[in-house]
Amino acid sequence: MTALILRELRLAASGGTALLPLIFFLLVATLFPFAVGPDRPLLARTGGGALWMAALLAALLPVDRLVEPDRAGGVLDQLALRGVNEEAVAVAKLIGHWLSFGPPLMLAAIPAAALMKLPREVLLRVEIGLLVGTPGLTALTLMVGALTAGLRGTGAMAGLLMLPLAVPILIFGAGMIEQGFETGAIKLLGAVSLLLIAAAPFATGAAIRACRD
Amino acid sequence: MSALLELRDVALIRGGRLLFEGVSLSLEPGGSAIISGPNGVGKSSLMRVAAGLLRATVGEVKRHSPAALADEAAALDERLTLGRALAFWARLDSVRAEAGMEPMGIAHLANVPVRMLSTGQRKRATLARVIVSGAPLWLLDEPANGLDAEGQERLTAAMAAHRSRGGAVLAATHQPIGLESAATLALGAA
């Protein structure tokens, strides 16, 4: 299991897989003030939501690199031959990919918040929200990545599959910025995240088995 | 001694097409069999059935030992050096990768990235992974594809050594690969 998680981290580090979503995230944060204008109160009010949109789209970027290369390269078959079950592979991928996506994204949110002139308490809410929400986003990316593995032209397909399912994360993540910790938004965000994490190993495992036929 | 691999009356339907039926095979320790037949008859699929990656539509597949599979997918991380890519699998198998690179003559390539390797070198690396795996049952799908004469000799020697240690080899191939006294399983002959 440790070997598999380390392998995921190494793949993410070596191929720019981890870097690309971050650059994308920061790019959106840079462009957003240009789009709505340099109005400080307006930016402070909408910036948090824009960061969540950027995080969501950044999570979508590595979807075709999570499962498909391992399927095509025979890695998944070789693991199965060694008696590693598909659910364990999925858990390793989930942990490995979150480590290369969640914490770096939380770091990138700091300069991104500065670009949007977000107040400090808003940044704090975004950070807590990302900490709770990105594992769920990762789980969703993994499931969609496994479901679309082996298909051609998966980019658009993956987006269509994933974005509607990510709506609850977006609603509660962005809702939390507006209303703070007193409301139930963070609990609901946590609940959605946990649900996706719980479903991911089984859905991913079944999808990996299904694409062998 | 009991068989390492048993197939009894196995049939496989894929994509609505019957690939083969009534395939029976038993591999004892030290034994070997060659699956032959024209392209598209289902040799690779039978290999995957034997490996447990595909489920037979009908029939019984029993594996009594761990199996190592070498097929067209090398399953090596392209960006790593060959040594490190093989070491990943060796670690899962609790063995040392070098023990497989030496017999296939690729020890000098240990520091070359996998993506720079030629077809033949990749094939050698795939076979090295099988050699070192320690699995008594070898499943080799077109093992000699892309290998030069020297590589084929090394393959032949490795298979002979494996069988003398009580291992068994099931190979799907078109070309003679020097498996002595191997049973032949002709698919699509009927």
Side-chain angles (χ1 to χ4, degrees), chain A residues 130-144:
Chain A
L130 285 177
L131 182 63
V132 177
T134 46
L137 277 182
T138 307
L140 195 57
T141 313
L142 181 62
M143 281 188 273
V144 172

Side-chain angles (χ1 to χ4, degrees), chain A residues 7 73 77-78 81-82, chain B residues 48 69 75 77 80 93 129:
Chain A
R7 175 171 179 271
D77 289 344
Q78 291 293 336
L81 270 169
R82 282 162 179 77
Chain B
R48 289 175 71 79
L69 170 74
D77 291 332
L80 292 183
D93 295 330
R129 171 158 46 73

Side-chain angles (χ1 to χ4, degrees), chain B residues 53-97:
Chain B
L53 294 170
L54 273 180
R55 196 172 304 172
T57 316
V58 183
E60 226 180 325
V61 180
K62 278 190 189 152
R63 254 174 307 120
H64 302 287
S65 83
L69 170 74
D71 56 8
E72 74 281 7
L76 298 170
D77 291 332
E78 296 284 317
R79 290 194 195 87
L80 292 183
T81 62
L82 178 62
R84 292 191 60 192
L86 280 173
F88 169 74
W89 294 111
R91 211 177 128 196
L92 286 186
D93 295 330
S94 318
V95 291
R96 284 169 48 78

Side-chain angles (χ1 to χ4, degrees), chain A residues 194-207:
Chain A
L194 280 178
L195 186 70
L196 288 170
I197 293 167
F202 304 104
T204 307

Side-chain angles (χ1 to χ4, degrees), chain B residues 13 72 139:
Chain B
I13 297 174
E72 74 281 7
L139 305 170

